């Protein structure tokens, strides 16, 4: 049985968009690119940023397979042409996903403030005005990514 501490392993699936396959799109930030760990993908050990491993461990379900779309696992980061092609598909990916998972890091005062701010930004009618200031989230790498606004607005 899979536990929270079990090694992370998975398979890459190829499917056309829009897809009948129910998948979750993961938005995350690289963090320290030198801090990598190993996971098994299609039976082969690969290095991924430690921050992504934390996200995968957090998002996986222990009782059934979890189908995630994660850019760095599906896009060859060393191939500029491939990255550009995939970049043009982001709208389709995020609108086809049945849900959107944002990994802004392990729980800290800043990440909690960031998630609260994001919830209030996306659903202002549900929240009364609070003291959360966007400046509270500037130290979180996820918020510095160019694609954050696109991913959030396209997500379901």
């Amino acid at each position: 049985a899979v536990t929270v501490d079990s090694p992370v392993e998975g398979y890459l699936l190829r499917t056309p968009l829009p897809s009948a396959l129910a998948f979750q799109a993961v938005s995350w930030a690289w963090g320290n690119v030198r801090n990598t760990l190993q996971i098994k993908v299609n039976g082969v050990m690969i290095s991924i940023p430690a921050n992504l491993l934390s996200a995968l461990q957090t998002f996986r379900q222990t009782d059934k397979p979890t189908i995630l779309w994660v850019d760095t696992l599906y896009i060859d980061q060393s191939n500029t042409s491939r990255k550009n092609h995939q970049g043009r598909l982001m709208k389709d990916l995020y609108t086809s996903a049945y849900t959107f998972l944002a990994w802004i890091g392990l729980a800290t005062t800043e990440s909690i403030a960031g998630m609260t701010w994001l919830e209030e930004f996306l659903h202002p009618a549900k929240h009364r005005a609070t003291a959360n200031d966007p400046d509270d989230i500037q130290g979180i790498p996820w918020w510095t990514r160019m694609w954050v606004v696109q991913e959030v607005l396209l997500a379901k």
Side-chain angles (χ1 to χ4, degrees):
V2 175
T3 67
V4 173
D5 297 320
S6 296
V8 172
E9 59 182 274
Y11 299 91
L12 295 180
L13 303 172
R14 195 175 276 233
T15 184
L17 290 175
S19 175
L21 184 66
F23 68 94
Q24 300 172 87
V26 177
S27 176
W28 66 288
W30 280 77
N32 182 347
V33 296
R34 291 190 176 102
N35 185 11
T36 62
L37 298 166
Q38 299 277 305
I39 65 169
K40 189 181 286 188
V41 177
N42 291 350
V44 176
M45 297 302 289
I46 65 167
S47 294
I48 62 169
N51 191 43
L52 177 56
L53 179 62
S54 295
L56 296 175
Q57 289 170 322
T58 300
F59 294 148
R60 74 175 164 186
Q61 298 177 15
T62 57
D63 60 335
K64 62 182 179 178
T66 306
I67 302 174
L68 303 174
W69 182 85
V70 180
D71 59 357
T72 197
L73 297 177
Y74 285 93
I75 302 171
D76 179 357
Q77 299 298 309
S78 66
N79 184 327
T80 302
S81 172
R82 189 79 182 136
K83 283 193 324 188
N84 290 340
H85 172 73
Q86 290 294 319
R88 291 187 293 274
L89 297 176
M90 289 297 141
K91 178 181 181 221
D92 294 334
L93 282 161
Y94 280 91
T95 56
S96 295
Y98 82 87
T99 193
F100 167 78
L101 303 170
W103 178 253
I104 63 171
L106 298 171
T108 64
T109 303
E110 292 83 11
S111 67
I112 292 168
M115 291 310 294
T116 302
W117 185 88
L118 181 59
E119 173 67 20
E120 292 169 358
F121 174 78
L122 293 174
H123 306 287
K126 289 184 182 179
H127 303 278
R128 55 186 168 78
T130 66
N132 280 324
D133 184 342
D135 290 342
D136 294 341
I137 61 176
Q138 289 182 357
I140 301 170
W142 185 76
W143 294 102
T144 65
R145 293 179 54 247
M146 179 173 66
W147 299 107
V148 166
V149 172
Q150 177 183 344
E151 292 168 356
V152 169
L153 293 176
L154 292 174
K156 292 180 182 172

